[in-house]
Each structure stands twice: as structure tokens, then as C-alpha cells.
């Protein structure tokens, strides 16, 4: 299995090194393995988790929920809890999307009105 330095992981994941450390410190990421010299060595599994965490963060998932998700991922018997957490967040995202779509429709109406008087 390949390992990556913090700089390589930051470049591959799109997170800053500070964010990677923060995620580890906050329990969002599990403790990262260390080299013999004490440097962090990220794995492919951590890169996969980081990719999904980035998706969740970009959809507006709060840090508390990210923390909960990260901790749940450490145990194979927490799949039902992970499903529940992701379903809850998916409902939130769907609600937000509906709100934005309604706002977009209202803007389109206003633009149409302005264009009709020009």
C-alpha cells in the first residue's frame, strides 16, 4: 500500500496541511500512521476518506457531523448509523437545493419583468 507525505496528501486531497492536522486532532480522521522518523504517512484509505469528507464539507455538512461520521467510520458495525447520518444530511441538502431553485425562479421572473419594460 502506498503512503503519502502530508504535502503529497494535501496536494492530492485539496485540503491544506493545517486542515489535515485539524481533522486528525478533531477525530474526523483517525490517527495517522507515522514513519520511523515520526512524520505522518497517509494511506490510500485515508485519501479515499478525505475525498468523501471534502464532498460532505462542500455540501455544507457541519464540522460536528463530519466529526461524528469520521468516528463512525472507524468501526465496521456502525454502517446503520452512517446511513442515518448521511440520509439526514441528504435531506438537508435537498431542502437547501429546493430553496435555491425557488430563489432562482423568482430571479428569473424579475429579470423577465425588467426585460419586458426595456
Amino acid at each position: 500500500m502506498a503512503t503519502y507525505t502530508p504535502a503529497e496528501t494535501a496536494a492530492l486531497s485539496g485540503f491544506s496541511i493545517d486542515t489535515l492536522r485539524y481533522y486528525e486532532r478533531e477525530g474526523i480522521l483517525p490517527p495517522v500512521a507515522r514513519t520511523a522518523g515520526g512524520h505522518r504517512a497517509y494511506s490510500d484509505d485515508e485519501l479515499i476518506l478525505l475525498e468523501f469528507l471534502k464532498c460532505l464539507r462542500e455540501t455544507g455538512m457541519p464540522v460536528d457531523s463530519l466529526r461524528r461520521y469520521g468516528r463512525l467510520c472507524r468501526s465496521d458495525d456502525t454502517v446503520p448509523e452512517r446511513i442515518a447520518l448521511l440520509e439526514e444530511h441528504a435531506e438537508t441538502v435537498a431542502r437547501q437545493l429546493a430553496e435555491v431553485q425557488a430563489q432562482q425562479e423568482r430571479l428569473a421572473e424579475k429579470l423577465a419583468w425588467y426585460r419586458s419594460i426595456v
Side-chain angles (χ1 to χ4, degrees), residues 2-107:
T3 60
Y4 307 92
T5 66
E8 291 169 331
T9 303
L12 291 168
S13 70
F15 287 111
S16 70
I17 292 174
D18 288 338
T19 299
L20 295 173
R21 288 182 186 140
Y22 172 78
Y23 277 13
E24 184 181 0
R25 186 173 58 250
E26 290 296 313
I28 297 168
L29 277 180
V32 177
R34 304 283 180 141
T35 66
H39 298 284
R40 286 176 175 82
Y42 293 87
S43 69
D44 288 324
D45 289 342
E46 286 148 347
L47 282 175
I48 292 167
L49 177 56
L50 283 166
E51 179 182 349
F52 191 60
L53 289 171
K54 186 171 189 168
C55 171
L56 294 175
R57 192 68 188 131
E58 288 173 348
T59 62
M61 181 176 270
V63 171
D64 286 343
S65 296
L66 285 173
R67 186 180 299 116
R68 184 165 175 242
Y69 181 79
R71 289 187 176 143
L72 288 171
C73 286
R74 293 187 198 145
S75 177
D76 290 338
D77 63 350
T78 62
V79 171
E81 291 92 340
R82 285 184 253 172
I83 290 170
L85 178 66
L86 293 175
E87 285 176 339
E88 181 182 316
H89 185 62
E91 289 172 11
T92 299
V93 170
R95 201 170 35 255
Q96 291 170 338
L97 181 58
E99 290 170 4
V100 170
Q101 286 174 329
Q103 293 164 347
Q104 184 181 34
E105 289 172 15
R106 181 73 175 115
L107 285 168

